[in-house]
Amino acid sequence: MHNMQELWRRFEEWLRRNAPGDYSALRPGASDDDVSRLESRVGFPLHGELKSLLSEHNGVTPRRSSTAPGAFLLGYSLLDTEGILEWHQNLSAMAHEAVEEGYEEEVVGRTAHAQWVPFAQSLTGDLLFVDHRTGHDGEVGEISFGDPEYLPLWPSMTVMLTDLCNAVEESLPLPTTRRRPSVHEGRMLEWVTS
């Protein structure tokens, strides 16, 4: 996780210098006990990259409006361990219900799965998650509720952070989306459609 921590610190330093509102929204890291409790409640070990991110920052100060800072990950705000658990339970319940009600093919692995662990949320409730399924281990996906299928964005959080760092440092669009970085009012990072 050495690379992950280096990349996170590089991104965080860019926020500190260029988007101070976002930087100040970051909360201190989760304790080892917090992460262990989360793993116990989720029911499986968290991917090492997600644990590394949580050790750096246990979410951000909750946003009350779209003009509040803290949504620097493509318009998503980092969740704390409690938010991660709540959203994981919601996705697990959706998947379980789909199986019980006979519409598994429409939901499981498309819009919800018990092995998807959300780590960031938009104000509209859309999610970024780390996929813990065998064969997808560590992939970062996006769930936009209302869409029939999740969108795979990056093969890992390390690749995600590499792309984010390069995009903000060079003012380039992200390769996986059609969004480019823009600093709003000198205080918060936004991602605008290119």
Side-chain angles (χ1 to χ4, degrees):
M1 296 309 103
H2 176 64
N3 242 358
M4 175 75 181
Q5 288 175 325
E6 282 181 4
L7 286 164
W8 178 256
R9 293 200 178 112
R10 183 175 145 199
F11 183 68
E12 187 178 324
E13 177 58 21
W14 186 91
L15 289 176
R16 187 186 68 74
R17 286 184 279 111
N18 299 281
D22 286 330
Y23 179 79
S24 66
L26 290 164
R27 295 173 60 190
S31 69
D32 290 342
D33 286 345
D34 290 337
V35 174
S36 293
R37 270 192 300 278
L38 176 59
E39 286 181 317
S40 174
R41 300 281 305 276
V42 165
F44 50 84
L46 295 178
H47 193 278
E49 291 180 334
L50 180 54
K51 285 168 53 167
S52 179
L53 177 62
L54 285 169
S55 74
E56 294 292 326
H57 294 286
N58 190 17
V60 295
T61 304
R63 298 174 73 219
R64 303 281 182 240
S65 73
S66 61
T67 59
F72 47 80
L73 290 178
L74 301 180
Y76 292 85
S77 299
L78 291 176
L79 292 166
D80 62 11
T81 55
E82 290 300 315
I84 289 171
L85 177 61
E86 180 182 343
W87 273 108
H88 176 263
Q89 289 173 335
N90 290 343
L91 292 179
S92 294
M94 288 169 59
H96 183 72
E97 180 181 314
V99 171
E100 282 187 342
E101 300 291 324
Y103 54 93
E104 178 177 359
E105 287 184 22
E106 290 86 1
V107 174
V108 180
R110 297 183 73 187
T111 59
H113 199 284
Q115 290 187 306
W116 290 354
V117 180
F119 67 92
Q121 175 188 9
S122 72
L123 279 175
T124 60
D126 296 342
L127 300 166
L128 296 179
F129 67 91
V130 176
D131 199 334
H132 287 71
R133 293 177 295 171
T134 303
H136 297 270
D137 193 35
E139 290 178 3
V140 175
E142 179 180 39
I143 303 168
S144 292
F145 291 105
D147 286 350
E149 189 114 20
Y150 83 98
L151 181 64
L153 294 179
W154 289 281
S156 69
M157 291 185 94
T158 299
V159 175
M160 175 188 81
L161 278 172
T162 299
D163 284 353
L164 289 172
C165 287
N166 292 340
V168 296
E169 290 168 356
E170 314 269 332
S171 295
L172 298 171
L174 282 170
T176 56
T177 68
R178 292 190 174 132
R179 296 179 247 183
R180 63 176 175 74
S182 174
V183 176
H184 179 70
E185 297 179 347
R187 65 186 181 93
M188 55 191 266
L189 176 61
E190 295 183 333
W191 294 89
V192 296
T193 304
S194 351

